[in-house]
Amino acid sequence: TIQKLRQAGIKFWVLTGDKLETARNIGYSSRVIPTQACVVDLDLDLSLPADRILSSIGHSLEDALARFEPYDSTMRVLMITGAFL
C-alpha cells in the first residue's frame, strides 16, 4: 500500500513518539523510507542560549535544503525531533 501511494505521487507524514533511531528503523522496515533516500535529521540542543537557538535552526534548515538539492522530491526524508519543533 505504501508503495502504491508513493507511485501515485502522494506525499505523507508519519508521526511517532519514538526516539529518532527507533523512528528511522520503523521507517525503513515499513518501507516508508526508501533505502536510496536522502534522510536528514533536524534536532536541537535545548541547552543552547536562546540567541543561539534561532541561529542553529536556520543553519539546520539551510543544511537540509542543500543536502536535498540533488534528490527527487520522492527521495527526500526529513526526520524532526520534538525538540526541533
Side-chain angles (χ1 to χ4, degrees):
T1 302
I2 291 171
Q3 287 298 98
K4 289 183 181 183
L5 290 172
R6 182 169 274 114
Q7 289 170 351
I10 297 172
K11 295 176 177 50
F12 52 94
W13 290 71
V14 177
L15 303 174
T16 74
D18 296 304
K19 292 181 180 180
L20 199 56
E21 191 60 33
T22 305
R24 182 186 325 279
N25 290 336
I26 291 168
Y28 282 122
S29 66
S30 65
R31 297 192 182 133
V32 169
I33 301 175
T35 56
Q36 66 275 27
C38 176
V39 180
V40 175
D41 299 336
L42 293 181
D43 195 7
L44 187 61
D45 180 359
L46 295 177
S47 68
L48 291 173
D51 61 326
R52 294 214 24 231
I53 287 179
L54 287 178
S55 174
S56 178
I57 290 170
H59 290 303
S60 294
L61 293 174
E62 288 172 359
D63 179 59
L65 290 173
R67 290 183 56 199
F68 281 160
E69 185 67 33
Y71 290 87
D72 177 85
S73 65
T74 61
M75 292 296 146
R76 298 174 184 166
V77 176
L78 191 59
M79 299 192 72
I80 306 171
T81 65
F84 195 86
L85 291 175

